[in-house]
């Protein structure tokens, strides 16, 4: 089967079908926001949805990214390929095309992605295998940030997702200070402050968030490399 990758930056189009048929089945409910949240981001001009469609125009995979203008950080919020199509290179193509499109359009400080730690339990086959998923990103050159990361809770801090890793898919050379294993924390601090507040409805005031920001502000930058848990 041949696939064509198309991008949409406005709501409507294939969004509803992609949300129902590709994204919802691929993520645990606590890791995915409502379709309205994605549509709002597109409406605000801050979203990019890349969709891989088959010959009949049906979506088989998608990547959705969200731009934070204030911090100049792009988040790959969702990447998924339908289960029957996995393992044939489509996820790799989507990731490559997304990173290229976003680098060119935004000239970001950093492009990041959230993934489950490789030792997370495999909750359901449809959600994929955390160990293979991290290997997929690392094969594409992603580096794991040494941070006590958690995914902000959708709607409330009580809904945070623990045991997540934050990956760097691309970093502008000016934020790696000439060292491939260190990332300057400044853009990430601004990004995480805005991300936590917008997802959870208020700025965080708890120890987990404090520990995260302390690690982001570490002198000399944030260490980044291959899977730090050794899984
Ligand atoms: C991760 C994912 C997008 C990869 O897409 P894909 O089209 O299968 O990837 P490719 O064919 O380009 O690359 C193959 C690699 O992807 C990974 N992969 C393949 N199937 C996978 C699965 N069921 N679970 C996790 N990773 C998988 C493996 O690392 C594989 O390499 P391997 O065959 O040497 O083990 C896809 O498996 C998926 O949708 N998983 C569920 C949702 C998800 O985990 N999204 C990422 C978090 S944002």
């Amino acid at each position: 089967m041949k696939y064509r990758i198309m991008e949409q930056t406005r709501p409507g189009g294939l969004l509803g079908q992609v949300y129902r048929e590709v994204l919802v089945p691929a993520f645990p409910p606590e890791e995915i926001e409502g379709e309205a949240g994605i549509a709002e981001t597109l409406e605000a001009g801050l979203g990019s949805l890349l969709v891989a469609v088959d010959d009949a125009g049906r979506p088989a995979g998608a990547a959705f990214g969200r731009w934070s203008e204030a911090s100049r950080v792009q988040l790959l919020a969702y990447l998924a390929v339908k289960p029957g199509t996995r393992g044939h290179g489509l996820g790799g193509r989507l990731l490559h095309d997304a990173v290229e499109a976003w680098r060119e359009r935004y000239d970001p400080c950093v492009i990041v992605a959230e993934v489950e730690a490789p030792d997370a339990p495999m909750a359901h086959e449809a959600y994929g295998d955390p160990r293979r998923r991290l290997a997929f990103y690392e094969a594409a050159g992603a580096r794991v940030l040494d941070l006590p990361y958690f995914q902000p809770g959708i709607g409330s801090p009580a809904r945070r997702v623990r045991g997540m890793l934050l990956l760097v898919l691309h970093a502008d050379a000016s934020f790696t200070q000439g060292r491939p294993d260190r990332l300057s924390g400044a853009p990430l601090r601004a990004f995480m402050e805005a991300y936590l507040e917008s997802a959870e409805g208020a700025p965080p005031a708890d120890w987990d968030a404090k520990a995260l920001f302390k690690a982001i502000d570490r002198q000399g930058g944030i260490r980044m490399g291959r899977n730090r848990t050794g899984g």
Side-chain angles (χ1 to χ4, degrees):
M1 181 76 78
K2 274 212 173 132
Y3 298 96
R4 200 158 44 91
I5 297 181
M6 316 185 327
E7 186 191 12
Q8 69 175 76
T9 55
R10 303 290 310 151
L14 287 170
L15 173 62
Q17 200 181 352
V18 166
Y19 186 79
R20 285 189 308 275
E21 296 177 12
V22 179
L23 299 182
V24 167
F27 292 95
E30 65 277 14
E31 287 182 29
I32 185 160
E33 70 203 271
E35 184 186 332
I38 298 177
E40 259 169 47
T41 301
L42 290 164
E43 187 64 53
L46 301 173
S48 159
L49 179 68
L50 278 83
V51 187
V53 293
D54 65 17
D55 294 337
R58 281 184 303 255
F64 177 68
R66 182 170 270 136
W67 174 236
S68 163
E69 179 64 47
S71 60
R72 305 197 61 77
V73 172
Q74 171 78 350
L75 171 69
L76 168 64
Y78 309 109
L79 169 66
V81 168
K82 276 188 179 173
T85 312
R86 290 179 192 166
H88 293 96
L90 193 55
R93 261 182 72 196
L94 274 165
L95 180 61
H96 173 269
D97 287 12
V99 168
E100 284 309 301
W102 299 337
R103 277 179 69 167
E104 197 161 304
R105 177 165 325 133
Y106 304 119
D107 188 20
C109 302
V110 206
I111 302 178
V112 292
E114 298 164 312
V115 301
E116 285 168 14
D119 51 4
M122 189 167 155
H124 188 294
E125 205 182 327
Y127 304 151
D129 174 347
R131 194 175 286 257
R132 292 182 70 203
R133 183 181 312 129
L134 183 58
F136 162 81
Y137 281 105
E138 289 194 326
R143 284 157 294 167
V144 181
L145 286 169
D146 185 12
L147 292 174
Y149 191 72
F150 55 85
Q151 184 175 314
I154 299 172
S156 147
R159 301 186 62 198
R160 287 179 184 170
V161 188
R162 321 258 155 201
M164 301 287 285
L165 303 176
L166 192 64
L167 307 184
V168 174
L169 302 176
H170 161 77
D172 185 86
S174 56
F175 295 96
T176 55
Q177 304 157 335
R179 298 186 54 177
D181 62 342
R182 286 285 189 285
L183 180 75
S184 159
L188 267 193
R189 170 170 260 280
F191 167 72
M192 277 316 300
E193 282 173 350
Y195 185 14
L196 278 158
E197 183 166 354
S198 80
E200 299 183 347
D206 62 275
W207 289 106
D208 288 343
K210 267 202 180 92
L212 176 60
F213 284 113
K214 192 171 166 205
I216 288 175
D217 294 340
R218 206 179 285 148
Q219 270 227 337
I222 309 162
R223 205 153 55 86
M224 59 180 173
R226 301 215 9 126
N227 174 21
R228 73 193 155 90
T229 57

